[in-house]
Amino acid sequence: MARSIRFRPARIAATTLAGLMLTSALPALATTGAVPGAATEAETPAVIAAPLPEPALAVLLETGAGLSENDTALPFMNAERRKQLEEFYAARGHEPLWIADGVPTLEARRLVARLGQADRDGLRASDYALPGELARSAGRMDEARAARFEALLSAAALAYADQAQAGRVQPVSLSKNVTLDPVHPEPQEVLAALAASADPAATLEGYNPPQPGFAALREKLSEIRARGKDDTPPVVPEGPTLKEGMRDARVAVLRARLGLAVETAAEAPAEAEAAADAVADASVADAAVADATVAGESAASEAAGSEVLAEELFDARVKEAVFAFQRENGLHADGVVGPRTLLALNAASDDGMAESDILANMERWRWMPRDLGAFHIFVNIPEFKARLFRDGAQVYETRVVVGKPSNQTPVFSDVMDHVIVNPYWNVPYSIASEELLPSIRSDTSYLSRRNYEVLAGGRVVDPSSVDWSGVNLNKVRIRQRPGGGNALGQIKFMFPNRHAVYLHDTPSKSLFSRSARAFSHGCVRVQDPFDFADALLQMDGEWTAARLKSMIGGQEKRADLTRPVPVHLAYFTAFVDENGKLQRRPDIYGHNATLTKALEIEGWEDWQRFAVAAPVKRSRPVAAQAEPAKKRKVVDLAAERQRMFMRRQRASSDY
């Protein structure tokens, strides 16, 4: 395709000036009679250079001329990225990075090959693939083709660096409860780093998350994709909870998964052996042979049936093996195969969802801060665990209770900077309006019996002075005083955030013995808060757990940490444990359902059965309305309110 010649303004100006100088010199030459060509070198006018066209790369980046329709349709080549490339190449005088003397460099070919391996990073190689005729180019190119190769390869590298570091989707677009803010690399810095690198392919790979958790998942992804069916553990089918004493066909698969053989002898009983001997004896009469054959078949059939029944029995040996598996995999060890244990058993199996689970969690690592902190707190919500890490090593672990699916614990990172002993519990609006208000209206002593107080205008007021039938809870605040029965227990760990969630103690200790622990209204309850404090404050120069314990009782007290600690409320349904085993946990909030769909991961439809419906938004309480004149059904309001109160109390998990 022919293109118009464009000239640099600076060169045009210089040419014009030289022409004017030559014209003005002609009369002088005529007067002196000087012969052209006979002058000394110093007197000879400079040779006028022909105006040079702009490099093809400059034209392509400035106007898009030279890019085919297919080029502009590539997922990594858009107007914004072309503008970024134009700025970079203009600053270096349009000197190419990937072309030398019209030929793709060795670094360029290695970079193309590395982009072709993006699938192993949990990305899609097709998103960074150059057109086939360019990707295979190895010989000399004309100027226009070389410009296309240069621009498209740089654009593909920019796209890979951006998505490798910050992910393919914006977290908040999936859920208001996922507010991580991944950092995108600066395009000019990416291109400058590639230009300065002796190994651009390795530099590009370095934009993937640096955390060991990501690298371990990438390795497991390769293992799953590489192995054959014969190397895959059997899948224990879904179904009712399996426990000791049950008979179920799935127990036979469970035995195979746990490497258990049936304890009963597999050989046929003595009658079958005798029958077989009789069949082998040619001297026995035909009738005897027939009788022996029938007897042998019957005995063998009974033996086979007995073996099948034994395989399907969940006996003490199976329970002990389940116990051992649960302990090895960080599960609640009760010897029962419920949903969480079943998922862990099938973690490395070909259940059709392991690969998509890994891909979703590799994406989540891209959202996390690249530097988690030399000393940090890591709460994995689907695992119901909180851990402390120091210099990459785990130094403490405890169980936690997290939010219910209807009151999800948000996913974000922040910094813990203080601790409060003897905390007040400021009741959130949703809990006050939906759970407390009906109880207050039906029982005027409810607040005092449960150690609540009421604030209006920032001052404590007498609850009896409030018209609870038409109260505006935006102007009246309810809080629970420190002391016994306080929903936050004796201590809370603060990292101020827009979600108003934190880690805290709880009087409801029994919930920690459960395998699944999603019961709170969004905050994270810690099983042994002062043990946790002891581990948390190990490097704090001022505070210790013992000192915090001495503050228990009386009014609320605050302790500011001398060394603030990063805290990460994370959501990983697939991870690799310290023994190198792939672990998977249930998608309790349905985040995999939305993420796999957004990433267009094969099999995303399977995750939809775990999707969690958005909670119904309830209207604010309003003043009681006057009864209409028409006759209504008579209802015992006191009894009805008491019934509702008891139902809510049974369903609640904060008291």
Side-chain angles (χ1 to χ4, degrees):
M1 180 176 66
R3 64 177 176 83
S4 59
I5 303 298
R6 300 173 69 250
F7 298 93
R8 296 180 188 268
R11 288 179 178 169
I12 295 174
T15 304
T16 304
L17 179 60
L20 291 173
M21 292 173 63
L22 179 59
T23 303
S24 63
L26 290 177
L29 290 174
T31 303
T32 59
V35 179
T40 63
E41 183 174 311
E43 297 170 335
T44 304
V47 177
I48 303 172
L52 298 177
E54 287 274 22
L57 180 59
V59 175
L60 182 148
L61 295 176
E62 291 171 11
T63 68
L67 291 173
S68 69
E69 187 174 335
N70 289 337
D71 291 343
T72 56
L74 291 169
F76 55 81
M77 178 53 86
N78 52 41
E80 177 59 30
R81 193 154 283 140
R82 203 179 74 210
K83 182 179 178 182
Q84 295 162 354
L85 294 176
E86 180 184 357
E87 180 182 341
F88 173 76
Y89 280 102
R92 56 186 280 121
H94 295 98
E95 178 186 354
L97 286 178
W98 316 117
I99 299 289
D101 298 327
V103 178
T105 64
L106 177 61
E107 290 76 13
R109 293 197 293 272
R110 287 175 175 167
L111 191 60
V112 170
R114 183 63 188 85
L115 290 170
Q117 298 170 347
D119 286 344
R120 78 182 192 186
D121 305 318
L123 301 171
R124 293 188 303 199
S126 59
D127 288 345
Y128 322 105
L130 272 62
E133 79 280 3
L134 285 183
R136 293 188 294 270
S137 296
R140 187 172 299 278
M141 302 177 174
D142 60 35
E143 188 181 9
R145 186 181 178 88
R148 279 183 65 217
F149 182 88
E150 180 76 26
L152 293 179
L153 182 54
S154 289
L158 275 182
Y160 176 95
D162 184 72
Q163 295 182 353
Q165 177 168 312
R168 291 165 51 199
V169 299
Q170 190 67 18
V172 74
S173 69
L174 303 177
S175 171
K176 65 181 179 62
N177 292 313
V178 182
T179 56
L180 290 165
D181 190 16
V183 177
H184 293 261
E186 288 294 331
Q188 300 305 311
E189 293 178 5
V190 173
L191 293 169
L194 294 175
S197 175
D199 188 351
T203 298
L204 192 66
E205 183 174 336
Y207 284 95
N208 283 292
Q211 291 90 350
F214 174 85
L217 283 179
R218 179 163 58 183
E219 184 177 338
K220 288 300 177 185
L221 179 65
S222 297
E223 288 180 13
I224 285 178
R225 287 173 169 173
R227 71 188 179 200
K229 292 285 185 182
D230 294 339
D231 302 324
T232 304
V235 177
V236 182
E238 292 183 5
T241 296
L242 298 174
K243 59 181 69 176
E244 187 176 13
M246 291 181 61
R247 288 190 183 276
D248 192 301
R250 295 180 300 138
V251 176
V253 185
L254 176 62
R255 286 178 177 273
R257 172 65 182 84
L258 297 172
L260 291 178
V262 179
E263 197 167 31
T264 55
E267 293 81 4
E271 293 86 350
E273 294 182 9
D277 290 340
V279 173
D281 190 349
S283 64
V284 178
D286 291 344
V289 170
D291 291 342
T293 302
V294 172
E297 290 176 350
S298 176
S301 176
E302 289 178 8
S306 176
E307 184 174 346
V308 169
L309 288 174
E311 285 182 345
E312 295 181 353
L313 175 63
F314 195 119
D315 58 20
R317 292 179 67 242
V318 176
K319 181 177 181 179
E320 185 56 39
V322 172
F323 262 126
F325 176 85
Q326 290 170 328
R327 286 191 291 265
E328 289 174 5
N329 291 272
L331 297 164
H332 177 57
D334 57 6
V336 175
V337 181
R340 294 175 61 76
T341 299
L342 183 66
L343 187 57
L345 284 163
N346 291 335
S349 303
D350 185 20
D351 65 352
M353 298 176 71
E355 183 173 327
S356 61
D357 203 0
I358 291 174
L359 290 171
N361 285 277
M362 290 176 75
E363 174 77 2
R364 290 190 180 105
W365 273 115
R366 305 184 197 282
W367 303 342
M368 298 292 292
R370 291 178 74 83
D371 182 6
L372 299 177
F375 183 67
H376 66 268
I377 304 164
F378 196 94
V379 178
N380 190 18
I381 296 167
E383 196 184 2
F384 310 124
K385 292 283 185 70
R387 297 178 174 89
L388 282 167
F389 289 89
R390 181 175 181 179
D391 298 329
Q394 178 180 311
V395 295
Y396 182 79
E397 176 184 304
T398 187
R399 293 185 171 199
V400 296
V401 170
V402 301
K404 297 174 286 190
S406 58
N407 299 93
Q408 299 177 11
T409 296
V411 181
F412 68 102
S413 294
D414 216 296
V415 177
M416 184 177 293
D417 59 6
H418 70 280
V419 175
I420 294 178
V421 182
N422 310 316
Y424 278 97
W425 179 41
N426 294 294
V427 183
Y429 176 90
S430 59
I431 300 176
S433 61
E434 297 167 19
E435 299 181 22
L436 297 192
L437 194 54
S439 300
I440 297 169
R441 286 172 174 168
S442 63
D443 181 1
T444 55
S445 66
Y446 177 84
L447 291 173
S448 60
R449 286 190 295 102
R450 295 184 175 269
N451 203 25
Y452 288 103
E453 62 185 20
V454 180
L455 290 86
R459 299 177 60 184
V460 177
V461 299
D462 186 346
S464 63
S465 66
V466 178
D467 178 11
W468 295 106
S469 64
V471 66
N472 182 345
L473 289 178
N474 284 322
K475 296 182 178 180
V476 173
R477 185 157 57 93
I478 302 172
R479 70 181 183 184
Q480 193 174 33
R481 301 182 188 91
N486 183 284
L488 304 185
Q490 296 174 323
I491 186 171
K492 65 177 179 178
F493 305 88
M494 300 298 293
F495 40 104
N497 58 83
R498 63 176 173 173
H499 301 286
V501 302
Y502 35 83
L503 276 64
H504 66 86
D505 183 18
T506 176
S508 304
K509 302 294 186 182
S510 63
L511 296 176
F512 292 107
S513 65
R514 301 194 185 184
S515 179
R517 297 185 290 278
F519 298 110
S520 81
H521 283 91
C523 287
V524 178
R525 306 176 191 171
V526 182
Q527 183 174 20
D528 299 305
F530 285 97
D531 285 350
F532 177 76
D534 201 35
L536 173 68
L537 301 171
Q538 61 184 269
M539 295 191 298
D540 195 286
E542 182 176 353
W543 295 100
T544 64
R547 185 178 175 190
L548 293 177
K549 278 186 176 181
S550 70
M551 298 161 59
I552 295 175
Q555 293 301 306
E556 185 174 89
K557 302 178 183 71
R558 171 172 170 151
D560 290 316
L561 305 184
T562 57
R563 298 185 60 169
V565 180
V567 56
H568 309 284
L569 302 188
Y571 191 92
F572 286 96
T573 56
F575 56 94
V576 179
D577 66 17
E578 62 274 13
N579 298 315
K581 293 182 179 180
L582 176 65
Q583 298 287 344
R584 292 172 58 200
R585 297 294 182 265
D587 183 23
I588 59 173
Y589 295 161
H591 288 335
N592 277 2
T594 53
L595 180 53
T596 53
K597 183 177 182 180
L599 292 173
E600 299 177 340
I601 295 174
E602 184 178 354
W604 65 265
E605 297 90 348
D606 295 334
W607 287 102
Q608 297 308 299
R609 67 177 186 267
F610 300 111
V612 175
V616 177
K617 189 173 183 180
R618 296 174 174 83
S619 59
R620 294 181 177 180
V622 296
Q625 300 296 316
E627 284 287 331
K630 66 180 183 178
K631 186 177 180 180
R632 286 178 171 267
K633 181 181 178 181
V634 177
V635 178
D636 186 344
L637 293 178
E640 183 69 8
R641 285 168 178 162
Q642 183 63 21
R643 186 183 64 81
M644 293 176 65
F645 164 70
M646 295 301 296
R647 186 173 63 186
R648 287 192 176 95
Q649 289 298 94
R650 286 194 299 270
S652 174
S653 59
D654 269 329
Y655 308 106

